[in-house]
Amino acid sequence: MTGTIAARPGRVGPKETVTGKRAVASSQHRIVTETMLDTMRAGGNAVDAAIAGSLVQAVVQQDMTNHTGTVTALVHDAKTGEVTELNSMGRIVPGLAPFAPVPAGKGLYAAVPGSPRAVTPGFMPGMKALYERYATLPWERLCEPAVHWAEEGHEVTSFEHLVLAQTVDFFLYTESGRKHFTPGGHLPQAGDRWAQPELAETLRNLAADGPDYFLTGKWAQDFVTRGNELGWPVKLEHLTAIPPRWTAGHRWEHKGTTIVQQSAPERQGIYCQIVLGILDELGITSIGHWSENAEALYYLAHALRRAAHETGLLNDPDLFGDTTGPLTSPALIKGFADILRNAKARVDLTEHVKLTRGVPAMAATGASKQPAGSCELAIVDEQGNWVQMMNTLQSGGIPGEVVGGVPMVGSHWMNSLASPIEGWVTGGGRMRSILSNTMVLRDGKPWLSLGSPGNVHCTVPQVLSNILDFGMDPYAADDAPRCLPYEDDHTISVESRVAAGVPAGLAKLGVLTNPLPEYDYHMGTYQMAWRAKDGSLSTCTGPRREGVADGF
């Protein structure tokens, strides 16, 4: 374990890369990373570690995840050499109408009118699918850390308390939510030991009965009963009606590598392919890095915006036509780049920006205001099995309710080009989201894997470009300033560590800079692993959130 991490375990802020290991694990929480490494030391493989880590993460990071949300993963099997994609997002099943028990405005998770909505949980079906396909240790052994930490309690961190304080209003709407998150009438404070005996009992039963305890067993029955009491006509068979999906993932080529990401209707792979393709067509490396060059930042933010718009036409290929090929065609991407190149201002528009936006706006500050909850894991074992995985509180369960100590958020999505229509309108479709699991292959073998919570719709392509286009080492690529997509009012929100001349350069192009905090936690923090030429492994976690990366 390296010096910075050992001295400041899990703290927000700078961290060091861990290098030269045979097995590595990275997460946003010390307990989770230690659990994954202990699992591998006990003879488990990377998937065993991912399952144990996810189960305990949903105990110690309920500001970010829970046992009913979504699980996605990319898994490299060392024996076969194959990379497979797992998608286990919650579902609206046919005949089960949308149900939104928490009124709009009750906390950050209910900021959009009409959402979030109840959906069948995806977390435990994903755990079961991973376990049955790849795991080696007994299921009960993988549950032990989660049971322990629910029973004994974990120490609440300052960051955990911060996020809980920003989101708890959502759970204060329900009696079960108030009981769970405000025992004694208050949120657990930083430094408190937060034990959860009801959840511990649920997890003991999960250990004894297996993942079916959440699918057909007692917890599932209690979930259905609570949904029915609230007026949601969910049935027990709905929880297993649409199983998790295994595919080969979305694959594309860039700078001599093969990139594997989540496939349609998930947007990340196609989104990244469009963004990096546009930047490549524009010759971004000859222009300069966007943290130092206004023109590069202008192009990047526009590319992010264009990709977000175009992937609004991406729906479940089982129910709609598959737009993957047309959206990633070289001719289309070249056309997008040509449009950006020719649309750029040719005169100095600085005075225009001052007149229309006001001089005080030139020094404004802001922050992302989007739900931030998700957890990413990066794990590589001694045999070369590799897992890049997300578990998150989003898209699972009955919004605001807590059943058997398990809190639930539901799904944020509504009907628009920016969100899926198939799940709500037709029933049975897979919801579209932005999920960050990414593997980069060289000569068919994993070289790098990465993923993050937060605004991953726009941060994954930036980190990938930093590594593959600009040649940054992974930690520096994560540390570098990031931006949000170009906004309709000609504003670019960017972390305020860009070079001094960048805001003035953007103003010349008619664009206002909205400086975000220097390190905005909504921009995520990456869990990464990569292999050196000598075969040794390295790992890191980023500075914007808590986290520990380590190995043995």
Side-chain angles (χ1 to χ4, degrees):
M1 186 177 287
T2 56
T4 300
I5 295 173
R8 302 170 61 184
R11 288 176 58 88
V12 174
K15 301 173 180 69
E16 290 184 3
T17 296
V18 176
T19 61
K21 303 298 181 180
R22 292 180 289 119
V24 296
S26 175
S27 80
Q28 293 168 58
H29 201 285
R30 174 185 58 82
I31 290 172
V32 177
T33 298
E34 290 176 353
T35 295
M36 294 190 294
L37 292 173
D38 287 345
T39 302
M40 289 191 285
R41 288 190 184 101
N45 62 22
V47 172
D48 291 313
I51 293 171
S54 295
L55 290 171
V56 79
Q57 197 153 37
V59 174
V60 302
Q61 281 193 281
Q62 291 183 5
D63 53 329
M64 296 290 166
T65 187
N66 61 52
H67 294 101
T68 64
T70 290
V71 169
T72 65
L74 295 174
V75 180
H76 171 256
D77 184 347
K79 292 181 180 178
T80 65
E82 295 179 346
V83 176
T84 53
E85 169 204 2
L86 171 69
N87 188 314
S88 185
M89 183 176 284
R91 300 279 194 269
I92 286 288
V93 297
L96 187 59
F99 178 68
V102 179
K106 293 290 183 182
L108 192 60
Y109 295 121
V112 181
S115 75
R117 303 186 180 192
V119 293
T120 60
F123 183 102
M124 212 57 72
M127 294 292 105
K128 181 179 180 180
L130 283 164
Y131 184 79
E132 290 181 344
R133 185 160 182 168
Y134 292 113
T136 61
L137 293 181
W139 172 260
E140 187 175 7
R141 165 65 177 81
L142 302 181
C143 294
E144 287 174 2
V147 173
H148 168 81
W149 288 108
E151 198 162 45
E152 297 297 320
H154 72 283
E155 185 176 318
V156 176
T157 68
S158 59
F159 183 78
E160 179 184 3
H161 177 76
L162 166 70
V163 179
L164 284 173
Q166 292 174 340
T167 57
V168 73
D169 284 355
F170 175 77
F171 284 100
L172 296 182
Y173 183 76
T174 70
E175 181 180 356
S176 61
R178 292 190 294 273
K179 178 183 176 183
H180 183 80
F181 282 105
T182 57
H186 302 280
L187 275 175
Q189 303 294 298
D192 287 354
R193 183 164 290 278
W194 184 16
Q196 300 170 60
E198 187 178 12
L199 178 58
E201 180 62 23
T202 293
L203 293 173
R204 277 192 291 270
N205 292 329
L206 172 69
D209 296 351
D212 283 343
Y213 184 69
F214 272 66
L215 306 180
T216 58
K218 179 63 165 55
W219 186 92
Q221 295 165 24
D222 291 344
F223 172 85
V224 168
T225 298
R226 184 55 183 152
N228 295 167
E229 290 171 351
L230 293 169
W232 186 38
V234 63
K235 299 177 181 178
L236 193 63
E237 54 264 32
H238 288 148
L239 275 60
T240 54
I242 305 176
R245 178 184 60 142
W246 289 101
T247 75
H250 176 70
R251 296 166 183 248
W252 54 288
E253 306 296 319
H254 186 74
K255 300 294 176 68
T257 67
T258 300
I259 300 170
V260 187
Q261 296 175 298
Q262 296 285 323
S263 57
E266 308 307 336
R267 292 193 289 173
Q268 190 62 259
I270 294 165
Y271 186 99
C272 286
Q273 190 173 357
I274 293 173
V275 172
L276 267 66
I278 291 174
L279 297 180
D280 198 40
E281 287 286 346
L282 291 168
I284 194 70
T285 55
S286 64
I287 297 170
H289 194 267
W290 47 82
S291 63
E292 301 174 346
N293 183 283
E295 183 182 20
L297 181 55
Y298 175 88
Y299 282 148
L300 169 65
H302 265 296
L304 296 172
R305 182 194 192 203
R306 168 62 71 175
H309 178 76
E310 296 300 329
T311 52
L313 295 172
L314 189 69
N315 287 308
D316 188 341
D318 290 344
L319 303 177
F320 293 77
D322 189 355
T323 55
T324 299
L327 284 173
T328 58
S329 72
L332 185 67
I333 291 173
K334 183 180 185 303
F336 294 153
D338 289 341
I339 291 170
L340 291 183
R341 189 182 290 112
N342 287 286
K344 190 176 58 178
R346 297 182 180 180
V347 297
D348 189 335
L349 295 175
T350 303
E351 290 304 312
H352 168 80
V353 174
K354 288 181 179 179
L355 287 170
T356 57
R357 309 299 288 272
V359 173
M362 302 289 284
T365 187
S368 305
K369 299 183 183 298
Q370 298 174 339
S374 290
C375 296
E376 188 78 18
L377 305 174
I379 314 112
V380 188
D381 65 26
E382 291 184 88
Q383 290 72 45
N385 299 298
W386 205 303
V387 179
Q388 188 69 41
M389 178 177 175
M390 181 197 71
N391 64 84
T392 178
L393 45 70
Q394 298 174 31
S395 295
I398 306 167
E401 291 290 333
V402 180
V403 173
V406 179
M408 298 173 283
V409 168
S411 172
H412 300 150
W413 295 112
M414 292 188 66
N415 300 340
S416 73
L417 279 179
S419 63
I421 62 175
E422 66 274 17
W424 309 128
V425 176
T426 67
R430 296 190 293 268
M431 293 183 288
R432 182 177 65 234
S433 185
I434 287 284
L435 307 168
S436 64
N437 312 140
T438 300
M439 276 193 187
V440 182
L441 313 182
R442 284 180 173 169
D443 300 322
K445 297 179 180 180
W447 160 61
L448 165 75
S449 74
L450 58 86
S452 172
N455 291 319
V456 295
H457 67 291
C458 63
T459 66
V460 175
Q462 294 177 64
V463 174
L464 272 179
S465 181
N466 284 340
I467 296 171
L468 301 179
D469 295 335
F470 289 93
M472 295 184 188
D473 73 74
Y475 183 84
D478 185 5
D479 182 81
R482 298 202 269 266
C483 74
L484 293 173
Y486 196 93
E487 297 168 32
D488 290 346
D489 63 353
H490 304 287
T491 299
I492 298 176
S493 296
V494 61
E495 290 179 317
S496 54
R497 290 178 287 126
V498 294
V502 169
L506 286 174
K508 290 181 179 180
L509 297 172
V511 180
L512 183 70
T513 304
N514 176 43
L516 300 174
E518 291 192 10
Y519 288 91
D520 184 351
Y521 87 83
H522 296 275
M523 290 295 199
T525 194
Y526 277 73
Q527 320 301 320
M528 291 192 263
W530 62 99
R531 191 178 293 282
K533 291 181 179 179
D534 66 2
S536 65
L537 293 166
S538 298
T539 184
C540 68
T541 183
R544 291 170 180 82
R545 302 192 184 197
E546 298 174 322
V548 170
D550 203 357
F552 61 83

